[in-house]
């Protein structure tokens, strides 16, 4: 049984937006109309990358973007995010665990 309760949040700076990350749900990030989370950042592609929660870990996957996405100096490789933050151009995406009530 997959929980629909969100234990993770994705905070976006400078827009001061927050999105809940739910186990098993994939979110597309970029500046295009198909994106779940849109950024107006001029350096982001229309469909830059995916973020998802798998077994309680946050996973990042580049979507073959033109500039690539680098996590710990590795391009375009699906990997868990342990650093709690990543950047798309000038936009910072911070991941935090929400308080369990």
């Amino acid at each position: 049984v997959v929980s629909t309760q969100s234990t993770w949040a994705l905070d976006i700076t400078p827009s001061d937006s927050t999105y809940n990350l739910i186990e098993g749900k994939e979110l597309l990030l970029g500046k295009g109309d198909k994106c779940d989370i849109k950024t107006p950042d001029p350096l982001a592609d229309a469909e830059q990358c995916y973020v998802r929660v798998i077994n309680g870990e946050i996973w990042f996957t580049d979507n073959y973007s033109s500039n690539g996405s680098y996590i710990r100096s590795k391009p375009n490789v699906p990997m868990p995010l342990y650093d709690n933050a990543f950047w798309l151009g000038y936009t910072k995406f911070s991941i935090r665990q929400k308080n369990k009530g």
Side-chain angles (χ1 to χ4, degrees), residues 10 27-31 35 37 46-49 51 86 88 93:
L10 182 65
L27 297 176
L28 177 60
L29 284 68
K31 59 185 177 184
C35 292
I37 300 176
E47 298 177 10
Q48 179 85 26
C49 63
V51 174
F86 62 93
L88 296 183
F93 294 81

Side-chain angles (χ1 to χ4, degrees), residues 23-24 52-59:
E23 180 75 36
R52 68 181 63 88
V53 181
I54 302 172
N55 295 324
E57 292 183 323
I58 310 300
W59 281 76

Side-chain angles (χ1 to χ4, degrees), residues 10-86:
L10 182 65
D11 299 321
I12 305 170
T13 306
S15 70
D16 294 326
S17 301
T18 298
Y19 292 85
N20 290 322
L21 300 176
I22 297 171
E23 180 75 36
K25 179 161 173 47
E26 178 176 80
L27 297 176
L28 177 60
L29 284 68
K31 59 185 177 184
D33 291 336
K34 294 180 183 179
C35 292
D36 301 298
I37 300 176
K38 293 182 185 179
T39 176
D41 196 297
L43 297 177
D45 274 9
E47 298 177 10
Q48 179 85 26
C49 63
Y50 293 95
V51 174
R52 68 181 63 88
V53 181
I54 302 172
N55 295 324
E57 292 183 323
I58 310 300
W59 281 76
F60 178 96
T61 306
D62 184 77
N63 192 35
Y64 303 101
S65 61
S66 59
N67 292 325
S69 300
Y70 291 82
I71 303 295
R72 291 185 293 287
S73 300
K74 296 184 185 204
N76 307 329
V77 178
M79 64 175 47
L81 289 173
Y82 297 119
D83 299 339
N84 298 325
F86 62 93

